[in-house]
Amino acid sequence: MYNTITLSNGVRIVYENIPYVRSASVGVWVNVGTRDEMANENGASHFIEHMVFKGTKNRTAAQLAFDMDRIGGQINAFTTKENTCFYGRVLDTHVQKIADILCDMLLESNFHDDDVNNERNVIIEEIGMYEDTPDDLVTEQLFSGCFKGSSLARPVLGTRNTLGKMDGEFLKNYMTEHYTGDKIVVVLAGNISDSDVQYFAEHLKVVPVGDGKKRKKAKYVQSIKSKKKTTEQNHLCLAFPSIGITDDRRYAVQLMSNILGGGMSSRLFQSVREDKGLCYSIYSFGASYQDTGLLGIYTALGKETERPALSLIAEEIKRFKEFGVTADELELARDQVKSNILMSLESTSARMNRLGHNLLYFDYCMSYDQTIANYDKVTVDDIAKAAEMILDFDKVSFSAVGRVGKTEEYGEFLRKINE
């Protein structure tokens, strides 16, 4: 059971007291990500995530690190297409100390140009590392095509060109403009006290009120892309248009994805890898956003097995749509999901993440029992409807990275296997 207080500036503080543990996880969630950036601002959200660790008016970067190590805590951050989170985990006796550090980073970061220049180089190295990781590169290429025309198509890290034009003043102004009360949710989960909650409330009351500006809508568009790169394996992604993150059909879609390619017992793994030995890795994945999404299938394999593997994947998808799933398959997928939900109850970090994610997207957090009940309601017929809605080869997108062929050759082959 969680509680929520809302400050006059719109900041929400959500807390779940778990008195039988000795730790607490704390997260400051901000409903700002790559999607909120203009083309010339691409990478600003992720850049800010780095810069708040580089020193404040009250602490140097080294002092931030020492203050966390002194209390034996862990602190980190991440940026996604739609939000940013600064989070940490400490003993229950140190919650206000990590609160002080997080608030200092959020409200008093320096953004000195020397630090900006240094950290820009770090992020450019991160971009290079990303480009050297073909499984990341193939999915980024997929997203850039499937969401072309919207900010969802842009990389979270930004580009060397956009990052090169950002200085400390620009980043500080961007943070001030976007990190407003209506976009911030603070989450505490663990052995916490009322004074811990009030500490955050007192410090964050100075955050400015937001203007309630809405995001521009995005939608899936069909895309076929390939990129040559010297790799031992070719990395391929298929994708189909899917639902937004708040769609009530999400339970059926997730179970469908699990049955199709969610693990070692899934149809694609058993068929493409185990029975035919056409690849080493294959799985399905979902990417859902505020108003759109996609369902993807990833595989890594040799060039000589590309076409047999793609043909077999297409056959499995057609069979999935034509004959549906069995009750046993549905029950297995349901048990997997429910197990993950229930096991996450033992982690304060998982509880914190769940609360933050749900408050940002739904404005409330459904109980664990209700979430499980929603998975229990999914029927074989619901899975069939989800498959018919999503697994449409007339709308399939494709991304390939490695010793790959021409883009038009892949497009023609995909059309043939759909006949």
Side-chain angles (χ1 to χ4, degrees), residues 46-61:
H46 177 257
F47 208 156
I48 289 167
E49 176 218 311
H50 277 237
M51 286 307 303
V52 299
F53 288 89
K54 304 309 293 181
T56 72
K57 292 180 181 178
N58 304 303
R59 294 177 173 91
T60 65

Side-chain angles (χ1 to χ4, degrees), residues 245-257:
I245 205 164
T246 61
D247 194 299
D248 289 340
R249 296 168 292 183
R250 62 189 180 276
Y251 306 101
V253 171
Q254 183 180 347
L255 293 175
M256 179 196 74
S257 178

Side-chain angles (χ1 to χ4, degrees), residues 42-284:
N42 184 214
S45 301
H46 177 257
F47 208 156
I48 289 167
E49 176 218 311
H50 277 237
M51 286 307 303
V52 299
F53 288 89
K54 304 309 293 181
T56 72
K57 292 180 181 178
N58 304 303
R59 294 177 173 91
T60 65
Q63 286 173 326
L64 285 170
F66 290 144
D67 284 354
M68 280 305 302
D69 287 348
R70 188 173 290 114
I71 60 177
Q74 305 161 0
I75 190 169
N76 212 327
F78 62 81
T79 307
T80 71
K81 299 274 189 180
E82 292 191 326
N83 51 65
T84 307
C85 180
F86 308 92
Y87 64 94
R89 184 167 177 258
V90 292
L91 291 175
D92 54 4
T93 53
H94 298 321
V95 174
Q96 291 183 30
K97 292 180 180 178
I98 192 173
D100 180 63
I101 293 170
L102 287 170
C103 289
D104 195 23
M105 291 164 59
L106 194 69
L107 301 173
E108 303 290 353
S109 286
N110 289 323
F111 293 99
H112 290 154
D113 280 330
D114 286 346
D115 294 327
V116 169
N117 292 333
N118 287 338
E119 204 60 26
R120 181 188 294 110
N121 292 332
V122 171
I123 298 173
I124 289 173
E125 289 296 325
E126 188 178 358
I127 291 172
M129 181 177 65
Y130 199 85
E131 291 173 346
D132 284 340
T133 309
D135 52 336
D136 288 334
L137 190 58
V138 74
T139 53
E140 190 62 58
Q141 180 176 257
L142 180 76
F143 281 59
S144 70
C146 289
F147 298 116
K148 185 178 180 179
S150 79
S151 51
L152 280 180
R154 301 184 192 121
V156 171
L157 302 183
T159 68
R160 293 171 178 84
N161 183 49
T162 57
L163 296 175
K165 299 174 182 177
M166 297 178 188
D167 59 15
E169 183 180 7
F170 169 86
L171 293 171
K172 188 169 186 177
N173 289 339
Y174 188 92
M175 188 178 187
T176 300
E177 179 184 350
H178 289 81
Y179 281 46
T180 52
D182 58 320
K183 296 178 180 177
I184 294 176
V185 176
V186 179
V187 183
L188 301 93
N191 194 355
I192 59 173
S193 66
D194 289 343
S195 61
D196 296 332
V197 176
Q198 289 304 315
Y199 191 92
F200 267 111
E202 183 64 27
H203 282 71
L204 294 181
K205 65 184 182 182
V206 299
V207 174
V209 178
D211 57 11
K213 185 178 179 180
K214 301 293 184 182
R215 286 171 170 153
K216 292 182 179 179
K217 290 188 176 182
K219 64 179 182 179
Y220 170 99
V221 295
Q222 193 172 24
S223 169
I224 309 290
K225 288 190 173 188
S226 65
K227 181 181 180 65
K228 289 189 179 294
K229 192 172 183 66
T230 304
T231 57
E232 290 300 318
Q233 288 187 308
N234 286 355
H235 299 258
L236 312 180
C237 273
L238 294 165
F240 303 90
S242 189
I243 59 176
I245 205 164
T246 61
D247 194 299
D248 289 340
R249 296 168 292 183
R250 62 189 180 276
Y251 306 101
V253 171
Q254 183 180 347
L255 293 175
M256 179 196 74
S257 178
N258 281 17
I259 295 168
L260 182 63
M264 293 177 65
S265 64
S266 67
R267 290 195 182 185
L268 290 176
F269 191 94
Q270 286 296 311
S271 176
V272 182
R273 174 182 162 147
E274 295 295 276
D275 292 348
K276 300 298 182 182
L278 296 175
C279 68
Y280 176 76
S281 175
I282 185 167
Y283 58 84
S284 61

